[in-house]
Amino acid sequence: GHADQVVELSASGKAFLQSLFSAHDRNSDGTLTRSEIIEIFSTAPTPPWEMGTLGWPAIGMAGGLGVQWRITQEDFMCQWVLMTMLEPV
């Protein structure tokens, strides 16, 4: 796109991602674990969040800080909004 254009997620795109999150939130606690995120992307040709890269949330997914990694639905959606803006193709 052009430098003066911004790409945003459509309402239907957001609804799809929210339903995807809900479908994989096994215990309905409003968060996804590392294994639930891996499951979401298991059929994708290339997962958008690579384990070997330095981007967020890859560091947390790699087990950073020795804590059980989780992502909230709000953070999940924010990540998609950011990725859409940074890499719209």
Side-chain angles (χ1 to χ4, degrees), residues 8 15 19 26 76:
E8 296 181 6
S19 67
R26 291 187 200 118
F76 180 79

Side-chain angles (χ1 to χ4, degrees), residues 17-79:
L17 291 169
Q18 289 170 337
S19 67
L20 190 65
F21 184 99
S22 295
H24 288 86
D25 182 9
R26 291 187 200 118
N27 61 358
S28 300
D29 67 352
T31 66
L32 295 180
T33 63
R34 189 166 114 192
S35 64
E36 289 167 334
I37 285 285
I38 290 168
E39 185 180 308
I40 285 177
F41 300 129
S42 65
T43 59
T46 304
W49 300 337
E50 292 290 343
M51 292 287 197
T53 63
L54 295 178
W56 184 91
I59 292 170
M61 290 178 70
L65 305 178
V67 297
Q68 174 65 30
W69 184 89
R70 295 183 175 273
I71 187 170
T72 65
Q73 185 171 15
E74 181 180 8
D75 291 339
F76 180 79
M77 294 304 296
C78 287
Q79 178 68 13

